[in-house]
Amino acid sequence: MSSPIRHARRDDAAAIQTIFSCPSVIQQTLQLPYPSVGAWQQRLESNDALSHHLVYCDDNDRAVAIASLTRAGNARRAHCGALSLAVHDAHQGQGLGRQLLLALLDLADNWLGLIRLELNVYADNARAIALYEKLGFRSECRLLRDTLRDGSYEDGLLMARLRWPQGGAA
């Protein structure tokens, strides 16, 4: 049996748009409501060498979760990357997000040589924060009234995971 995780393709755009249309995904990500399939098609076919999008597929090879790793484009931050994650409401709490993040951590650590990985999360998203902490992320700062969500300015957390190369000092 093949892995349920694979690189996202252009034809995943409709399934990804469905993921980002879920109420809890809208509530807990920085995406705006009413995402378009066309925007996701364009994003997936851009062949941006700095971005890596992985999807977790159900038994019908339909994407039900997506995680992305975007390497910093600035040469002085070439050792850094940013992560994002979204899981369809019907598939949350099943470990799909954890599996996707582990795949991206492997890519970052063993293939891209990234030392610093960052992510933003709403300060009230205890479930996501607990997952990120289990994977080695630590909160670096609280971003006060960082994001407008459902008419209210909410706090966010900047979390990061540092991993030094073999022989490097911590």
Side-chain angles (χ1 to χ4, degrees):
M1 183 174 132
S2 65
S3 170
I5 296 174
R6 63 168 169 74
H7 186 80
R9 304 182 302 235
R10 183 183 192 280
D11 64 343
D12 291 319
I16 294 169
Q17 184 267 350
T18 299
I19 294 166
F20 281 99
S21 297
C22 291
S24 72
V25 174
I26 293 169
Q27 189 72 14
Q28 296 299 340
T29 67
L30 297 177
Q31 304 297 312
L32 289 172
Y34 315 112
S36 76
V37 173
W40 273 105
Q41 286 172 332
Q42 188 174 35
R43 191 180 210 177
L44 294 173
E45 66 188 10
S46 72
N47 290 325
D48 178 0
L50 298 176
S51 296
H52 305 273
H53 307 287
L54 299 181
V55 291
Y56 190 103
C57 297
D58 64 14
D59 293 336
N60 297 316
D61 198 38
R62 181 174 173 82
V64 295
I66 181 170
S68 300
L69 167 62
T70 304
R71 297 182 310 169
N74 182 309
R76 293 179 64 185
R77 295 197 81 230
H79 63 289
C80 301
L83 296 177
S84 63
L85 172 68
V87 179
H88 190 286
D89 284 4
H91 297 274
Q92 291 183 7
Q94 300 173 17
L96 281 58
R98 183 178 193 281
Q99 290 181 57
L100 279 169
L101 289 175
L102 286 172
L104 285 179
L105 293 178
D106 175 64
L107 180 66
D109 295 345
N110 299 313
W111 300 99
L112 300 175
L114 300 180
I115 295 170
R116 178 181 173 82
L117 296 176
E118 304 168 343
L119 58 85
N120 287 307
V121 62
Y122 283 106
D124 63 1
N125 192 343
R127 197 159 119 192
I129 293 166
L131 170 62
Y132 301 142
E133 288 176 343
K134 285 179 188 172
L135 296 176
F137 286 82
R138 298 293 170 252
S139 179
E140 291 190 337
C141 68
R142 188 176 191 102
L143 307 166
L144 300 176
R145 304 299 179 250
D146 176 59
T147 306
L148 181 64
R149 175 177 67 179
D150 202 21
S152 175
Y153 288 96
E154 302 294 336
D155 291 357
L157 296 178
L158 172 62
M159 299 184 76
R161 173 186 170 267
L162 297 173
R163 182 178 179 275
W164 299 101
Q166 288 182 329

